[in-house]
Each structure stands twice: as C-alpha cells, then as structure tokens.
Amino acid sequence: MNSSTSPFGKPLARVDGPLKVTGQAHYAGEFHVPGLLYGSVVNSSIARGRIVSIDASAAEAVPGVVLVLTHQNRPPIASYDEPYEDDDAADGSPFRPLFNDRILYSGQPIALVVAENLELARHAGSLVRVEYAAEPHHTDLLSELETMHKAPAELPSPRGDVDGVLRGAMLRLDLEYSTPVEHHNPMEPHASTVHYLPDGKLEIYDKTQGVQNCMRYLEGVFGMEGQIRILSPFVGGAFGSGLRPQYQLPLAVMAALKLKRSVRVTLKRQQMFTFGYRPRTVQRIAIGAAPNGQLEAISHQAIGQTSRFEDFTEHEVEWSGMLYECPNVKLDYQLVALDVYTPLDMRAPGATIGVYALECAMDELAYAAAIDPVALRMRNFTAHNGNEDKPYSSKELRQCYEQGAERFGWSRRSMEPRSMRDGHQLIGWGMATGVWEAMQMPASAKACLEPDGRLVVSSATSDIGTGTYTVMTQIAADTMGLPMEQVEFRLGDSNLSQAPLEGGSFTVSSVGSAVQQACQALQQKILDAAQQSPVSPFTGVTLDGVVFDGGRMQLKDRPDTAVELTQIVAVSGVLEVEVKAEPGKQRENYASATHSAVFVEVRVDESLGTVKVSRVVSAVAAGRVVNPKTAANQIMGGVVWGVGQALQEETQIDHTLGRYMNHNLSEYHIPVNADIGEIDVIFVEEKDEIVNALGSKGVGEIGIVGVAAAVANAIYHATGKRIRDLPITLDKLL
Ligand code: MOS
C-alpha cells in the first residue's frame, strides 16, 4: 500500500480481458497437439444394474475409429481397488469410470469411442450396443425419506432447550421448504486434452479449479508419480463444477495410455447433467420468538439426496446457529442415498439452500410479529458466532442493511401484501440476509524480479473468469510499488507453487496473502542485494526504512537515494523467492464471515403469474475489496444465479427411468438478459485486521446467498402467497 498510484482497491479492467475478446485465450478443449484423437463418451441408459454385454463391432467398423474403450479392455489401473480420494471428495468411495460392469446411475459413462475426429467418434458412439440387466432403482428423495441416515458432518452441538422454548414461545413457526436438483451449466463444458509426450509423460489441458488436485488424482489413480502436468490457463466458468476431476479426465488418460497417442475428450452439454449437481433437499425450520420478534429458539433440519457410493455434505444448517442472536439452537442434517450420482459443490454450496429457508422463515416471522423485515434482522443482530462461541473478526452487516435499504428506497415500502401495484402488475419488495464463511487455506507463491525490472509472480491457482489474474497482479503491483504493466501473474499450471483449489471464496485470502508475502520477501532480497555494495546508502537499513515505488527503492523520505530495481538486478542477477502463507494464528480466536443484505423488487403479472425481478440491491461486507469492478461482477453473477434459483432452475427427473430429462439449455432454464433488471452492488466499508494482512475476505459466493429468499419474500409481498418450494414457477402462483 505504497503510493497514491497503487492499483489496490481500483476498479481495473481484467488484465486477461484483451486475450479473451480477441480469441487468444485458449480453453481446455481448444489446444492443438500433434496427432490428436477425439473421444466421445457413451453413457448408461439405465439407473441401476449390470452391463451384460457391450457389442462395439459396428462402432469399430467405422473407418477412422481407433478404439472403443470399456471396462473390459481398459488399461489396468493402479488404485481402482482402493479408489483415490481427491481434495474435494465426499465421504465414501469415489466413482471409478469403467471400473466394472456395475451401473450406479443413469448417465454413467460406460464406454469411450476414440476416432480421428469428433464427429466420427460421436457417430460411432451411437452404434455401440449395450445389453443391461436392469435392477429396480430409487431416485426420488421424497419417497425414500424413511431410509435417511445421519450426514457425516460435524454439526455444532445443540445449545439451550430448543423443544421446551419452542413449546412456550409467544410466536411460533414451523415451516417446510424444498429445493430441487440444479445442474452446473458453465459456458465451457468439461474437456481434457491429453498430450502424450514421447517419453510417455502426459501434459494435460483440463477444465479445472485445481490443477494440482487433478495432477495428484491422476498420479494416484494411474500410479504415475511425477509424470503428469496439468495446464489450465483459462476456465470458462466453473463455480464448483471444476473442484473435482470429472470423468472425461481419467477416460482421456486411459485412452492415451492404451493407444500411446494424444486424446481429447469433451463433454456435450447433455453430459454436463451426468455428474455433480446441487442436491435436492427438504428442510424444516421451527422458530420461537418473543412478540417483538426477538429470536428465542431455532430448530433447522435439512435432508438432502446423495449417491449410494458417497455421502455428499455441505453446510446447509449451520447458518441458522450463527447469523443471529439466538440462545436455543438445534441443527440436524440427514442424507438419503439414491441411485444417482453424488452431488457436488455449486456456488455457495449449502448456504444457497439453508439460508434460503432461514431467510424465508425470518420474513414469515416479521409478518407474524408485524415488524419490518429489516428491523427484525437489526433486532436479532449479533457480533458473536453462537456455533463457535467466538466474536466475529468483523461484521458490518448493519451497514449492509442501512446502505442497502437507503439505496433501494425501502422506507417507502408498505408492509401489507398486495398493497403496491402498477396496472395489472403486483409489485413486491422483499429482502434477505446473506452470509458465507471467510476462510483461508495454506498457499504458496513465487516472486521473481527479472533483469528488465519486470516482476513475475506465480502460483498454481486458477481463474474461472472471476479475476484471479487481475487481483493477484494488483496485489503484487501494490506491494512492490510497480505499475500494473510491469507485473505478470501466472497460474493454471500444476508445476507452479502449491495452491489450494480455487473455491470457497478463499482465493484472495489464501493465494493473495501468499502473493503479498512473496513480494515482501523479494523486497528483502532486493534490499540485501543493494547492501552488497560497500558504499550503499542502504547499509544497516531494514525493510521498514525503505520505500518501493515506481520501480525504484529509496530510503524513507530520501528521494536522493532512489535506485532503479533494474540497476540492482543488473548486478545481482535474477532475484527469486518462494513463500508459503498460512492462516494467521490471530484468526483462531475469531469467527470470520462475509455478509450481505439483498433487496429485491418483483413485478408479478396478476393474471399470468409471471415474475420479473426488476431491481436488486446487494450490499456486501467482505472486508477490503481488491478490485471493485471484478468484485461487483462476481456479486452480479451471484445475483443472476440466485434469480435463477428462485424462479427457474430445476433439473427434473423421470423416476420411472431414473434419468434427468431436461438436460439441455432449452429445457433447463437459466436467466437470460431479458430476465434480469437492474442490479446495484454496494460494498460497505469493513475493516478487518484479523482475517489476513490484506483485510480481504473474498466475494465468490456471497453474491448468490440470500437472493432466492429475497425474491420469494418479494413475491409474498406482491401476491400474499408463500411458495416454499423452489423454483417459484408461474403454475405455483396461479
Ligand atoms: Mo465454489 S462452489 O467453492 O467453486
């Protein structure tokens, strides 16, 4: 945080933007390698049973087809008897593509057709004949509820006497909410391009949020320690879908190893519906409160679906024990195993579901207590995390309510449902609170001062389009007192310094801290180098006594001592340092989270039941914001997704077939531009010296949390109807 020219906190455009808009940014399925073959995956059409036989003769007879890979002819796989668990694996036994003849879910990959081009591979795939021995399957969460088992999640122990207090409470609500399966639909479908090198090593372009996770996964699965390099310079959206290696990756590797050729496997849009997703859930929330709305007891139970081979868990109910002041809290989380694939993290996993229910229930409480929904939340504010029994390192949530309400014009709202209209449109104003954890993971970064004075900083993180390249460049340029143009940040290569998965909203706090510390360590090296000269004005000086600015180092308040970094490095040679940043000890005594207040205006056509979200104000407290432009983009993206969650997104399954049916973008609805009105993002000032030296908490997930509840609450305000089952489609409103 050197000079007034520091890029920290400035709304800079993405440094990788020009590469993207000129087509120079290449994605995993676009890299060209010599002699490339193309794979197309054949998926199971039954949900449970056994493959009796696979007749690939017609496919193999197609000229240009070189291989039909199945469980019968795949190469031997080192870890298949004891499956390898990747960094984001759920409890249980990870899915193993082409392991054996068992079918565990509809859409399971059962063969890979490899051909000279993609069209041939896809055509030949349609000629593969599979005979199954089908077994009865169960895919409906609601009809299997009695089989539920406790989720292997460590929940905060109950506090107080929830049942007793609920019985005696003056205000009491007992509500049930349900949310559907939602599938990941990033712009870029999953793809892996495996470059088979002459020495048998593999260089793989993969769509992933964790190059090192994929590297370790392949090393573990195939017993190929030190022979795998994963590259992922650009990712066309992911938000959880790229946290775990997906099946196209091991399939492409199997084919490459068997053929000793380079192979690419790209999933079709329909195949994006054959792996992880947001789980279907039912939730029950009971609230006891005083007549003035003061919370006395909360009981929150969630039941989610999972596969038969893994217990997928996420933080669905914890929020109800930490967001508000409440002395009596009981949380419960159950899973129902079905003949489906395992769910997967999807933007703000758990919070999108749990906070949706909690914040709808809070709106119902506001009406039961006849107090304004914002006032109700202010009344129940706490600066203390009741689950962890720790103070928050910072929680400027009240500023979010105040500034958001002010910007939205909330004071002009009339409380009564159906009291605001514009012609035949019913107008509704609703709000909700959002919350997400502010985590930090160990991460490393390397900083290198080149002879030309350029700073190259690197770490094996990724940029899913959210701005990692840009904010890391800003942090490095700021720390080093260099203009942005003289700094380059490299990522998306498993050979770079250790970085965690790019997820959980912890990239800035984890990798950003490593970048900052690496640059500080490099400054020490530069100072040491400058002190090598006996006549150096820096002799005996420590880092506190010098300033780095504009590509020069000088003694504090002594511009006459300024020396160009290029001069120092010309003598010393390239200076390089690698640093590992750990979460600070000071964090242990605090809880840390990001918060938001979301205000929504809906317009509901009274006769048609159509809902338009015309305005959203999201006021966010996330510590210091490195780049208000990329950060606001993230919040907007989250808001759009939240509108989709509220009104559109639902993967529908035909339980007779056990198969997701609307597996394309014409039937799986997501918001388009015409569905979205104004989105106004506010970052409230929040000073936090506990979370990390940057004071930044991360903004990847908070944007979506609370949005669906705010929309549902606005719909109630517009129509007087409480729809507790997402998505709120027009049939439910008529
Ligand atoms: Mo996020 S669901 O951790 O990409």
Side-chain angles (χ1 to χ4, degrees):
M1 293 70 322
N2 284 290
S3 69
S4 55
T5 57
S6 164
F8 199 105
K10 301 259 160 63
L12 302 181
R14 285 169 171 72
V15 297
D16 49 326
L19 287 178
K20 287 187 168 174
V21 297
T22 56
Q24 293 176 79
H26 293 294
Y27 295 81
E30 298 181 328
F31 284 92
H32 292 289
V33 299
L36 188 63
L37 295 170
Y38 297 79
S40 179
V41 178
V42 178
N43 302 81
S44 163
S45 62
I46 66 164
R48 181 186 168 97
R50 208 167 54 75
I51 298 170
V52 174
S53 65
I54 297 183
D55 177 4
S57 54
E60 284 162 346
V62 175
V65 169
V66 296
L67 173 69
V68 179
L69 192 69
T70 69
H71 66 279
Q72 290 163 323
N73 65 348
R74 64 164 168 80
I77 290 170
S79 83
Y80 258 16
D81 290 330
E82 201 166 320
Y84 180 85
E85 289 187 23
D86 70 90
D87 289 358
D88 196 38
D91 266 47
S93 169
F95 175 66
R96 290 158 285 180
L98 308 188
F99 175 51
N100 60 17
D101 61 353
R102 292 297 309 172
I103 299 294
L104 305 173
Y105 69 100
S106 177
Q108 172 178 327
I110 53 172
L112 180 75
V113 180
V114 184
E116 296 293 342
N117 65 50
L118 180 60
E119 292 72 22
L120 279 175
R122 284 197 179 160
H123 168 63
S126 72
L127 303 177
V128 174
R129 293 285 161 257
V130 184
E131 193 190 324
Y132 300 99
E135 295 164 16
H137 60 258
H138 299 281
T139 53
D140 186 359
L141 173 73
L142 296 188
S143 62
E144 297 298 308
L145 286 177
E146 73 278 8
T147 69
M148 71 185 183
H149 62 277
K150 213 162 179 46
E154 252 185 71
L155 291 181
S157 16
R159 54 182 193 262
D161 170 22
V162 172
D163 296 333
V165 173
L166 275 177
R167 271 194 301 276
M170 296 289 283
L171 294 178
R172 199 167 67 200
L173 299 170
D174 192 349
L175 304 163
E176 205 171 287
Y177 296 89
S178 58
T179 64
V181 166
E182 296 169 14
H183 273 86
H184 279 284
N185 276 286
M187 294 271 278
E188 180 198 15
H190 281 56
S192 305
T193 301
V194 178
H195 188 187
Y196 189 88
L197 300 172
D199 58 2
K201 290 186 180 172
L202 306 179
E203 236 172 51
I204 302 172
Y205 298 95
D206 189 46
K207 180 220 170 88
T208 178
Q209 291 169 260
V211 281
Q212 292 175 331
N213 185 32
C214 287
M215 176 193 73
R216 284 189 295 271
Y217 170 81
L218 293 178
E219 286 182 346
V221 168
F222 292 94
M224 293 183 70
E225 190 85 23
Q227 298 175 72
I228 308 267
R229 180 182 184 188
I230 307 280
L231 297 156
S232 185
F234 295 99
V235 176
F239 288 111
S241 64
L243 289 175
R244 300 188 71 177
Q246 298 306 345
Y247 65 74
Q248 89 289 340
L249 177 64
L251 289 182
V253 169
M254 281 181 217
L257 293 177
K258 189 166 171 88
L259 296 167
K260 301 193 183 336
R261 297 269 310 260
S262 296
V263 177
R264 166 181 303 160
V265 179
T266 305
L267 297 189
K268 295 189 287 188
R269 180 60 58 182
Q270 289 191 339
Q271 289 168 328
M272 295 299 290
F273 293 78
T274 61
F275 60 88
Y277 53 87
R278 210 190 282 290
R280 187 178 184 191
T281 67
V282 289
Q283 299 179 73
R284 192 159 178 183
I285 290 200
I287 291 184
N292 70 356
Q294 189 77 51
L295 289 169
E296 291 172 343
I298 299 179
S299 160
H300 189 169
Q301 182 196 50
I303 308 169
Q305 75 177 55
T306 191
S307 65
R308 294 209 192 273
F309 45 94
E310 285 174 309
D311 273 348
F312 173 80
T313 58
E314 53 187 4
H315 293 175
E316 289 182 5
V317 293
E318 285 87 335
W319 319 101
S320 293
M322 62 187 263
L323 186 51
Y324 299 111
E325 177 71 44
C326 186
N328 303 285
V329 174
K330 193 170 73 173
L331 307 171
D332 185 48
Y333 185 21
Q334 304 282 334
L335 297 176
V336 173
L338 300 172
D339 297 300
V340 294
Y341 193 72
T342 313
L344 177 62
D345 291 329
M346 185 188 278
R347 205 169 199 171
T352 43
I353 294 171
V355 175
Y356 152 69
L358 173 64
E359 286 299 293
C360 286
M362 286 296 281
D363 200 65
E364 301 215 24
L365 178 61
Y367 278 88
I371 70 171
D372 176 81
V374 176
L376 174 74
R377 286 157 174 93
M378 288 282 198
R379 175 159 297 161
N380 287 290
F381 175 85
T382 179
H384 185 89
N385 180 322
N387 287 347
E388 297 179 40
D389 195 16
K390 288 175 184 172
Y392 281 104
S393 58
S394 60
K395 185 174 175 178
E396 293 296 342
L397 178 56
R398 282 176 296 197
Q399 279 300 310
C400 297
Y401 295 135
E402 275 169 22
Q403 294 181 30
E406 172 70 29
R407 180 79 61 90
F408 188 83
W410 186 259
S411 61
R412 297 195 303 278
R413 178 182 187 266
S414 59
M415 182 82 180
E416 200 56 35
R418 300 181 71 89
S419 60
M420 292 163 61
R421 68 160 65 224
D422 177 7
H424 57 96
Q425 286 184 328
L426 298 168
I427 294 178
W429 288 3
M431 62 82 56
T433 312
V435 55
W436 182 252
E437 292 161 285
M439 296 173 272
Q440 183 176 346
M441 303 288 156
S444 301
K446 194 179 271 184
C448 180
L449 186 64
E450 307 269 345
D452 58 2
R454 288 173 55 77
L455 172 66
V456 178
V457 185
S458 56
S459 181
T461 183
S462 65
D463 188 337
I464 57 174
T466 45
T468 313
Y469 278 114
T470 310
V471 296
M472 295 307 159
T473 307
Q474 284 175 276
I475 292 168
D478 169 66
T479 312
M480 214 59 180
L482 283 171
M484 287 286 284
E485 303 73 49
Q486 284 191 42
V487 180
E488 184 188 339
F489 184 72
R490 294 182 188 156
L491 53 69
D493 178 347
S494 58
N495 283 354
L496 297 175
S497 305
Q498 176 272 324
L501 290 165
E502 193 210 25
S505 298
F506 49 63
T507 300
V508 165
S509 84
S510 311
V511 180
S513 295
V515 166
Q516 185 188 41
Q517 290 176 27
C519 290
Q520 288 162 346
L522 184 62
Q523 289 176 331
Q524 183 63 54
K525 270 211 148 168
I526 293 168
L527 180 59
D528 292 347
Q531 287 169 341
Q532 295 304 309
S533 158
V535 294
S536 168
F538 300 100
T539 305
V541 176
T542 63
L543 262 190
D544 301 339
V546 297
V547 175
F548 288 80
D549 196 12
R552 287 178 292 275
M553 177 176 71
Q554 62 164 76
L555 292 177
K556 253 182 198 154
D557 304 320
R558 287 277 310 277
D560 59 301
T561 62
V563 51
E564 300 281 340
L565 300 187
T566 46
Q567 285 175 276
I568 298 171
V569 80
V571 177
S572 67
V574 172
L575 294 171
E576 186 176 87
V577 57
E578 184 174 26
V579 162
K580 180 170 189 183
E582 302 271 0
K585 281 259 169 271
Q586 77 284 356
R587 286 182 64 114
E588 290 169 11
N589 300 322
Y590 295 87
S592 287
T594 54
H595 294 89
S596 69
V598 190
F599 296 83
V600 164
E601 176 183 274
V602 296
R603 291 167 169 264
V604 183
D605 186 294
E606 201 174 4
S607 8
L608 300 177
T610 50
V611 179
K612 163 94 183 179
V613 176
S614 42
R615 282 197 303 135
V616 179
V617 173
S618 178
V620 176
R624 271 176 91 214
V625 173
V626 184
N627 184 327
K629 183 176 188 169
T630 54
N633 290 167
Q634 292 234 55
I635 302 304
M636 282 181 213
V639 167
V640 171
W641 202 336
V643 171
Q645 183 198 1
L647 301 178
Q648 299 180 324
E649 290 198 50
E650 174 175 23
T651 323
Q652 293 180 329
I653 195 161
D654 177 332
H655 294 298
T656 313
L657 296 167
R659 188 190 305 166
Y660 293 115
M661 302 306 286
N662 55 335
H663 53 172
N664 54 62
L665 287 178
S666 61
E667 292 168 284
Y668 183 89
H669 291 177
I670 57 170
V672 297
N673 278 334
D675 295 315
I676 300 295
E678 276 172 55
I679 301 175
D680 204 346
V681 179
I682 300 169
F683 291 109
V684 310
E685 201 170 309
E686 186 175 68
K687 208 170 153 54
D688 194 321
E689 289 174 348
I690 307 293
V691 278
N692 52 54
L694 298 163
S696 299
K697 291 177 176 173
V699 291
E701 337 262 342
I702 187 67
I704 189 174
V705 186
V707 176
V711 173
N713 296 341
I715 289 173
Y716 170 73
H717 184 236
T719 65
K721 288 186 183 159
R722 287 286 182 195
I723 311 297
R724 303 189 187 93
D725 174 37
L726 293 183
I728 305 175
T729 45
L730 53 85
D731 51 299
K732 295 175 188 168
L733 279 174
L734 287 175

